[in-house]
Amino acid sequence: IIHAIRNREKMSLIEKELVGNTEQNLREMIAATPSCLKIVDKEGRLLAMNPQGIQLIEAPDEDSVVGADVYSLVQEDHREHFIELNRKVCSGQNGHLIFEIIGLGGTRRWMETHAAPYALTNGEYAQIAITNDITEKVERENEIEHQRQALVHSARLASLGEMAGGIAHEINNPLGIIMGTAGHLKLHMRRQGIQDELLEEGFDRIEEPVRRISSIIKGLRNFSRDASGEDFKAVR
């Protein structure tokens, strides 16, 4: 019996040591993780945050921000979505969100969070979340999208240039015929010695809009012309 009691006491000491080591290991793992780990109550107050999270929000230490309003760190355009996420998680559901924060030092960061309900001692749920800084990823994606939009815009301009060139060609041909015919008729009248002011004025009225249209067509042709292979020249 004495031997059994001693064995139980020995096992109890071993179990306590294991529990203590487990808690210590868990704390070390939380401190070493590159992600932000935080607990937020249903009112949006910060209950706990690991060192990585403290660094991301640019706070001096955990004590200085525990109990603070987390919502105020979320960029205004994303704040309502974050509040909705917190309400959802604190009601017992998991959640996921990508949002932007503004740190206490003014640095803007894009964050991706995965949140789950966390039971508090008072029986209520809080939000426990793993949050990662994805700023570089978002910036790369934005740059790729910007380049894609630039390519689309360039392609549209190229198509517009081709269309402008085609329109200019189709309009320029009949304009040349009109202008040439009016000029030929005026010359014929002069050679035949025909004096008719009404016809002269009519030819002038024909030539004037034709010149204006020709000027517009010239602009379209210049727009559609590929000048990428031409040399730049200094102008004064």
Side-chain angles (χ1 to χ4, degrees), residues 1-227:
I1 293 174
I2 294 174
H3 181 70
I5 291 173
R6 287 177 177 174
N7 283 339
R8 281 200 299 271
E9 291 176 349
K10 185 177 180 181
M11 287 299 298
S12 179
L13 291 172
I14 292 174
E15 289 171 355
K16 288 180 180 179
E17 181 67 21
L18 287 173
V19 170
N21 288 338
T22 301
E23 292 178 354
Q24 180 63 28
N25 290 338
L26 181 59
R27 290 179 181 274
E28 291 176 357
M29 289 172 61
I30 292 174
T33 180
S35 301
C36 165
L37 299 179
K38 64 181 183 292
I39 300 176
V40 180
D41 71 9
K42 65 179 182 180
E43 303 298 331
R45 292 187 296 264
L46 182 66
L47 301 182
M49 180 176 278
N50 70 338
Q52 284 69 24
I54 298 298
Q55 183 178 3
L56 283 175
I57 65 173
E58 301 175 304
D61 51 52
E62 185 179 13
D63 292 338
S64 64
V65 289
V66 167
D69 179 20
V70 174
Y71 298 153
S72 63
L73 292 173
V74 181
Q75 200 271 341
E76 189 174 354
D77 293 342
H78 303 148
R79 191 170 299 160
E80 190 59 37
H81 295 294
F82 187 88
I83 292 173
E84 291 177 4
L85 169 74
N86 195 50
R87 289 172 179 168
K88 173 183 175 181
V89 175
C90 290
S91 67
Q93 305 177 60
N94 293 340
H96 168 261
L97 185 67
I98 293 176
F99 60 99
E100 189 177 16
I101 68 168
I102 302 176
L104 299 178
T107 304
R108 303 173 75 102
R109 289 185 172 92
W110 281 94
M111 313 297 290
E112 182 176 22
T113 191
H114 297 269
Y118 178 79
L120 301 174
T121 55
N122 62 5
E124 295 182 349
Y125 279 121
Q127 173 197 162
I128 184 169
I130 298 177
T131 306
N132 293 305
D133 183 354
I134 60 168
T135 304
E136 291 185 3
K137 175 184 175 183
V138 171
E139 289 177 349
R140 284 196 303 269
E141 291 175 350
N142 288 342
E143 180 61 24
I144 291 172
E145 178 61 19
H146 177 73
Q147 292 176 358
R148 189 188 72 82
Q149 290 292 343
L151 289 173
V152 170
H153 182 65
S154 178
R156 287 176 178 173
L157 285 178
S159 298
L160 182 60
E162 291 178 4
M163 183 177 67
I167 292 174
H169 177 74
E170 292 298 326
I171 295 178
N172 203 46
N173 287 339
L175 282 180
I177 294 172
I178 294 171
M179 194 71 172
T181 302
H184 178 72
L185 290 174
K186 286 177 68 174
L187 180 62
H188 177 72
M189 287 175 58
R190 289 167 185 167
R191 286 177 176 175
Q192 296 296 323
I194 302 173
Q195 300 291 331
D196 192 319
E197 293 183 1
L198 183 61
L199 285 177
E200 290 280 351
E201 291 177 0
F203 290 136
D204 290 339
R205 285 197 298 270
I206 291 173
E207 290 177 348
E208 182 181 353
V210 169
R211 289 192 185 95
R212 290 203 303 269
I213 296 173
S214 296
S215 178
I216 295 172
I217 295 303
K218 183 179 180 181
L220 286 175
R221 294 180 70 179
N222 288 336
F223 174 77
S224 64
R225 181 168 51 89
D226 182 10

